[in-house]
Each structure stands twice: as C-alpha cells, then as structure tokens.
Amino acid sequence: MSLMKKYARPCVLQLKRHLQQTQAEVQIPVSLPTGPVFRNAQHFPDRVALRDQFASYTYSNIFMVANELSQEITKLVHGRTNERVMFLCPNDLNYVVTLWAIWLSGQIAVPLSPLHPKNVLLYYANDTTAKLIITTSEYSDLMHKVSKNSNSIVHLLDNELKSICVDKVATTRSDLEGGLPLQFYRGSNAMILYTSGTTGSPKGKRSIIS
C-alpha cells in the first residue's frame, strides 16, 4: 500500500464522521420566515438580534420598543402611511429601533448621515417632502435647524431607550404582533437612499422592504 493510500483513508473516514456529527448538531429550519425583518421577532423571540456598547438585545426586546415608537409615529403623521420619515441616529440600538418603527407604522425611511452638512440634510428634507424627523439628543440642535426650514417636525428618542429595551419581556404572543398586513409591504417602498450627486444634486433611490 502506498503512503498516499495509507494516510488518505483514515483522513476520509475522519472527515465523514465530522460531517455526520455536524449535520446532527445543526438544526436547519424547514422554512425561513419571509417578509419584513421585524417579523423575525415572532420566530426567534429570545435570540440576540443586536449587540452594541451598552448591551445585547433580543428580537423581542427590539420589536416591542419599535412597536411602541411606531404608534407614536402614526400619531405624528395623523394616521397616514407611505409618508417619508427622515432619521439621524448613531450606529447602535437607536438606529435599528427607529428603522423598524418606521416600517411598522407603514412609512418610508430616509436614513441620514452625521457627515452631511446642514444644507444637504435640508435638501433631503425638501426633496422627499418629509413630514417627520426622528433623532437623538446628540443631533437635536442640527435637526431642529433643518426642521425650521422644511415642512417637518422633530421627534426626539428617549435617552433611556436602551435601558427600556433591555427590560422589555414578551409575555403573550400578542406582544410580538404589529405592523400592517404583509400585502402592504409587498406593494410599498421601504427606503429612500441618496446617491453622492457627483454630477448634480443627489438623487433618491427607492427600495422595497421584501
């Protein structure tokens, strides 16, 4: 027997055993959830969805806080849907909660960057005819200046949002229910993203939620 055959056969058998063990340990779901990402809360309520410098948050934590915020958004836009809602948040829980809340309320999200100067942010507000701006206290002054020169109002997120989110516990299935019918999301825009505008003014590109 050659050295190659002598050592190759044990390696192949070891690889087969490893694959069999891996397949036994990994449980692949028969079907994955479809539709808006926030509906994952119903399927994976206790799984960690996000970690930031403050804490870890499960899908149910985030959903419940986002659902409450979505109800505030609905009131602020007078019950309408498909309104443009701009938001400027740091890259942490605030960003995800706000994005989910906008979609739960049936609105179109317009994410902003703190790197953009006030005149660019004002251009976005007027170009999208945004009715609402959601932000945190650190960007409050900037966004109020944008609001004064556009047809929009500012809603500040609670400074204790992260602590509130960690403490949220779903006790019934209804705690993880919210949003609009799936058919709404299949036919509506989810987000407007702006190009750099190197050859002119930035242009908004629309995307759908699912």
Side-chain angles (χ1 to χ4, degrees):
M1 180 183 294
S2 67
L3 288 176
M4 181 176 293
K5 290 182 178 180
K6 179 180 178 181
Y7 292 105
R9 181 174 176 78
C11 290
V12 171
L13 291 175
Q14 185 177 4
L15 178 60
K16 286 183 178 179
R17 285 196 295 269
H18 174 71
L19 290 174
Q20 290 171 352
Q21 182 179 0
T22 301
Q23 291 173 349
E25 293 176 351
V26 177
Q27 297 180 353
I28 301 175
V30 176
S31 61
L32 294 174
T34 59
V37 65
F38 56 77
R39 294 195 186 277
N40 285 339
Q42 296 178 353
H43 301 274
F44 316 114
D46 299 322
R47 290 193 184 180
V48 173
L50 174 70
R51 292 185 178 91
D52 63 16
Q53 64 272 30
F54 181 81
S56 296
Y57 314 92
T58 65
Y59 278 98
S60 59
N61 288 153
I62 298 174
F63 179 89
M64 294 176 71
V65 174
N67 197 34
E68 290 179 357
L69 178 58
S70 75
Q71 294 169 24
E72 293 185 48
I73 293 173
T74 298
K75 292 178 182 177
L76 291 168
V77 298
H78 307 292
R80 294 187 293 267
T81 57
N82 287 310
E83 292 288 355
R84 283 72 169 171
V85 178
M86 296 171 42
F87 69 102
L88 180 58
C89 298
N91 295 326
D92 56 16
L93 175 73
N94 292 281
Y95 193 103
V96 178
V97 165
T98 302
L99 184 58
W100 282 23
I102 292 170
W103 289 339
L104 279 160
S105 176
Q107 316 308 328
I108 301 172
V110 185
L112 306 176
S113 169
L115 300 178
H116 290 145
K118 185 183 76 172
N119 65 305
V120 173
L121 298 176
L122 181 59
Y123 169 79
Y124 294 162
N126 290 321
D127 188 58
T128 60
T129 64
K131 297 294 188 295
L132 178 63
I133 300 172
I134 301 176
T135 191
T136 57
S137 57
E138 60 194 289
Y139 303 120
S140 175
D141 290 343
L142 173 61
M143 299 318 297
H144 273 99
K145 291 177 182 177
V146 172
S147 174
K148 288 180 180 178
N149 294 282
S150 63
N151 187 28
S152 58
I153 59 174
V154 175
H155 176 75
L156 285 181
L157 296 176
D158 193 324
N159 286 331
E160 301 301 319
L161 183 67
K162 294 181 181 181
S163 297
I164 294 170
C165 188
V166 170
D167 292 336
K168 287 291 182 183
V169 177
T171 57
T172 65
R173 182 175 179 80
S174 62
D175 290 334
L176 301 178
E177 295 176 350
L180 301 176
L182 187 58
Q183 189 59 38
F184 172 86
Y185 297 107
R186 288 174 177 165
S188 300
N189 291 314
M191 185 179 293
I192 297 177
L193 298 173
Y194 276 85
T195 63
S196 60
T198 53
T199 58
S201 298
K203 296 177 176 61
K205 301 295 183 182
R206 303 186 183 203
S207 62
I208 58 175
I209 201 168
S210 60

